[in-house]
Amino acid sequence: MRLAPGGEARPAVFLDAGVRTAGSARFEGEGVWVTEGELTRALGYHLSAGGLCLGDRCFPIADRSALTQGGRVELRGVARATERPIVIDADLAVVSLGVAAPERRERLASRRAPELTLPDLDGAPRSLAALRGRKVMLLAFASW
Amino acid sequence: MLDPERVVAEAFAMINVPTVVWIDEDGRVVRAPDVAFASDAFIGFHGVESAPHTAALRRWVTTGVLPDDSPDDGVHRAPSHEEQLARAHLAVAREAHRRGEEVVVRWHIARAAALAPDDWTIRRGTMPWLGVDPMTSDEFVALFAEWSEAGRKYYR
């Protein structure tokens, strides 16, 4: 069992597959604790009888007492339960959760083109979805 | 379309550019992300002929016939846990870059590069964050030499 989280929460940044949300967290040793409300607000997960859930999908929790204490949730445990990679930089107060490799492969293998909306040179939003009904060759280039 | 946050590379698991994806009328990826060039201007550098892709693209557009060089599961490379962890480090590096924390940027990029050594969007794409010219610098020349000497294809 993990020690109960103590100390004050401090401003933190959550990166959910790169998507940035500002919030607060307690950085305790190797772990990071957030309130259940913050977990939902920043990362979309909620706790239920079925485990740790994101929308309709729930991940079983092997040891609930190690994951949650006193209304707070430990994010390394969240990463373990969901098989997601996690990077914690306590000095920077940043938590980055990547996409699980199996999930990413599943998305790619589905062959569904992801919904993307990006600005054009004039700043107008352009989406892949708007091109439905036409063949599309998407070319990614970079000036690095 | 401009992509400052690199969401296209993330969405399609691209590791280098230029990379092309073919998407049909129903929004289905019919040719997995792969390298292709519009001309042979830099063929001495990358060794990839443009004609096969151009011809295949023209055939698909005019007749609907797809080439048979795309993998059945739509994935040329299955991203590993390490590569996904690398992308999580890359996200922290980007955040640190926003804050001007160069030492932190350098540390997370080094971790990401070690975890995903084949990913040029990390190794070359982050050079500007470190004030390094990604086109002509010694660092880029060294990266390219490392790749070539290992006998690896530059773009895959």
Side-chain angles (χ1 to χ4, degrees), chain A residues 13 15 20 85 87 89 92 94 96 99 101 104-105 108-109 111 113-114 118-119 132-133 135-141 144, chain B residues 1-2 10 13 17-21 23 25 27-29 60 71-74 78 84 88 95 99 108 124-125 128 134:
Chain A
V13 165
L15 302 168
R20 187 180 192 276
V87 174
D89 192 313
L92 214 59
V94 171
S96 175
V99 179
R104 194 174 194 200
R105 183 180 174 89
L108 294 168
R111 290 183 174 262
L118 292 167
R132 288 285 154 73
K135 289 185 173 73
V136 174
M137 185 194 78
L138 176 68
L139 164 64
F141 208 84
W144 299 113
Chain B
M1 290 156 64
L2 303 176
E10 177 70 31
V17 296
T19 293
V20 298
V21 185
I23 302 167
E25 293 87 338
R28 187 167 183 272
V29 174
W60 176 54
D72 290 340
D73 65 356
Q84 293 304 99
E95 174 69 19
R99 301 186 196 182
H108 284 286
R124 191 180 184 187

Side-chain angles (χ1 to χ4, degrees), chain B residues 70-84:
Chain B
S70 191
D72 290 340
D73 65 356
V75 184
H76 275 299
R77 305 172 56 263
S80 66
H81 178 78
E82 287 72 22
E83 287 171 300
Q84 293 304 99

Side-chain angles (χ1 to χ4, degrees), chain A residues 112-118 126-132, chain B residues 1 7-8 11-12 26-27:
Chain A
R112 287 189 306 275
E115 295 301 327
L116 291 175
T117 301
L118 292 167
R126 303 284 180 186
S127 72
L128 274 182
L131 298 172
R132 288 285 154 73
Chain B
M1 290 156 64
V7 297
V8 173
F12 289 98
D26 298 321

Side-chain angles (χ1 to χ4, degrees), chain A residues 35-139:
Chain A
T35 63
E36 290 185 31
E38 189 76 308
L39 177 73
T40 302
R41 194 182 67 81
L43 299 168
Y45 292 101
H46 66 276
L47 291 166
S48 76
L52 182 66
C53 302
L54 183 66
D56 295 335
R57 185 177 183 190
C58 292
F59 302 85
I61 302 169
D63 182 359
R64 202 174 186 104
S65 67
L67 183 73
T68 68
Q69 287 182 30
R72 289 189 165 75
V73 185
E74 202 285 303
L75 294 184
R76 280 198 192 277
V78 169
R80 259 194 308 278
T82 56
E83 298 184 63
R84 295 180 66 177
I86 187 169
V87 174
I88 296 169
D89 192 313
D91 293 336
L92 214 59
V94 171
V95 179
S96 175
L97 275 161
V99 179
E103 182 183 336
R104 194 174 194 200
R105 183 180 174 89
E106 191 178 308
R107 283 187 203 170
L108 294 168
S110 76
R111 290 183 174 262
R112 287 189 306 275
E115 295 301 327
L116 291 175
T117 301
L118 292 167
D120 65 15
L121 288 173
D122 298 318
R126 303 284 180 186
S127 72
L128 274 182
L131 298 172
R132 288 285 154 73
R134 302 166 65 181
K135 289 185 173 73
V136 174
M137 185 194 78
L138 176 68
L139 164 64

